[in-house]
Amino acid sequence: MRIPVLAANWKMFKTVGETVSYLKEFCALTAGVSGAEMVVAPPFTAIRAASEAARGSNVGIAAQDCYWEQEGAFTGEISVRMLKDAGACYVIVGHSERRRLFGDTDERVNRKLGAVLAAGLTPIVCIGETLEERDAGRTLAVLDRQVEAGLAGLTPAQVASLVIAYEPVWAIGTGRNATPAQAGEAHAHIRGKLAATFGAEAAAACRILYGGSVKPENIKDLMAIEDVDGALVGGASLTVSSFFAIVSGAQLV
Ligand code: PGA
C-alpha cells in the first residue's frame, strides 16, 4: 500500500512571516487528515521557521534543492546537512526549473540524490519531458534516460524509499495539465522501468507523483489513475484554501 504524498512547491515565493501564517492555518485545517503525507517546500530562508510552525503536525517540510558536498568553498550553495539541521525531511531534486535555468543535469541530479539519501532524508526527484520531446515522440525515451542516469547506483531499498515526481515540462505553470491518459501512460512506464532496473518490489513501493498545473478541479481525476500516488503542486499550493482543497480532493478517492 503506497501512502499518497501531496507536496507544495512554493518556488521563489513567501517570506518567513508569510510562511509561518500559512502553516499555522494549514496545519490546523489538516490536523484530522490521515492516510496521506503532506509536504510543504518553502524557500531556504523559511525552512527553519516552517519546521517550527509545523512541529507536531501532519505536515513535513521540504527543501527545493541542495548541493551534494557536506561543506566547503561553494559560495551560495546549501548542503543536505544544513537542510536537515534546519528541519527539512524531504528535498526536491532535479526540478525542471533547476534543470532548465540553473544547469542541473542527470549526473548532478544523481549526486544530489546520493547526498539526500545518505543523510536519511526523502528525495522528491523530478523527471519529465519538454513539449519538443513529446512532439518528437521521445517522451518515454527521455523518462528512461532520466531514470537510468538520475537513479544510477541506487539500491532497490533506496528506490523503494524514493518519491518521484513526473512533471511534463509543458504542463508546469501553464494551466494545461496532462490528460489522465498521458499521465497514466507515463506513470506506468516509469514504474515498469523501475521494475526492470531495480526489481518489482522496489517499483511497487516507490511513490510516483504527478506535477504540472494540478488544481482543486483536476486532482480527483489525476488521483484516480492507478499509478499516480499523489501530486507536486506549484501555483495552486500558494494559498491555504487552494492547497487544502487539493488535499481534500485527493482524499476522496
Ligand atoms: P504548477 O508547478 O503546479 O504551478 O504547474 C508544478 C511544479 O513546478 O512543481
Side-chain angles (χ1 to χ4, degrees):
M1 220 332 240
R2 295 186 293 269
I3 298 169
V5 179
L6 283 310
N9 173 16
W10 284 357
K11 312 192 179 188
M12 200 173 74
F13 289 95
K14 297 195 191 294
T15 61
V16 169
E18 289 161 352
T19 299
V20 170
S21 61
Y22 179 114
L23 278 167
K24 282 193 173 150
E25 196 185 338
F26 186 70
C27 291
L29 274 175
T30 54
V33 173
S34 61
E37 275 171 50
M38 292 168 291
V39 178
V40 170
F44 288 137
T45 46
I47 288 177
R48 157 75 68 195
S51 68
E52 278 163 14
R55 185 169 298 148
S57 76
N58 291 329
V59 181
I61 302 302
Q64 298 175 16
D65 190 26
C66 67
Y67 192 59
W68 56 79
E69 296 288 349
Q70 279 242 103
E71 57 187 13
F74 303 104
T75 301
E77 293 299 315
I78 310 269
S79 73
V80 176
R81 182 166 168 258
M82 294 165 184
L83 296 173
K84 194 173 177 178
D85 176 62
C89 300
Y90 303 78
V91 183
I92 299 173
V93 174
H95 189 278
S96 67
E97 285 149 19
R98 301 297 321 170
R99 293 178 190 256
R100 185 166 52 86
L101 302 171
F102 302 103
D104 266 7
T105 58
D106 290 327
E107 201 252 328
R108 287 172 61 88
V109 167
N110 185 248
R111 295 177 83 162
K112 291 180 179 190
L113 196 47
V116 176
L117 288 165
L121 303 190
T122 301
I124 302 175
V125 193
C126 303
I127 59 176
E129 81 288 357
T130 62
L131 187 57
E132 197 189 4
E133 289 163 341
R134 174 164 285 272
D135 287 346
R138 287 170 43 219
T139 298
L140 304 182
V142 167
L143 297 176
D144 282 347
R145 189 206 75 220
Q146 290 173 330
V147 168
E148 266 163 39
L151 275 53
L154 266 57
T155 65
Q158 286 175 321
V159 172
S161 74
L162 273 189
V163 178
I164 292 178
Y166 167 62
E167 298 205 305
V169 179
W170 48 270
I172 295 177
T174 59
R176 181 183 158 202
N177 60 286
T179 63
Q182 288 169 326
E185 181 194 33
H187 280 241
H189 184 81
I190 294 163
R191 205 176 300 284
K193 177 75 183 167
L194 294 176
T197 317
F198 301 100
E201 212 179 304
C206 177
R207 271 88 56 88
I208 307 178
L209 316 184
Y210 169 79
S213 296
V214 174
K215 307 176 263 251
E217 300 77 40
N218 60 23
I219 184 68
K220 213 174 163 209
D221 288 345
L222 289 164
M223 290 299 289
I225 303 166
E226 196 187 325
D227 280 301
V228 173
D229 304 315
L232 181 57
V233 189
S237 73
L238 289 171
T239 62
V240 170
S241 58
S242 158
F243 192 42
F244 182 63
I246 288 171
V247 169
S248 312
Q251 291 288 112
L252 294 176
V253 180

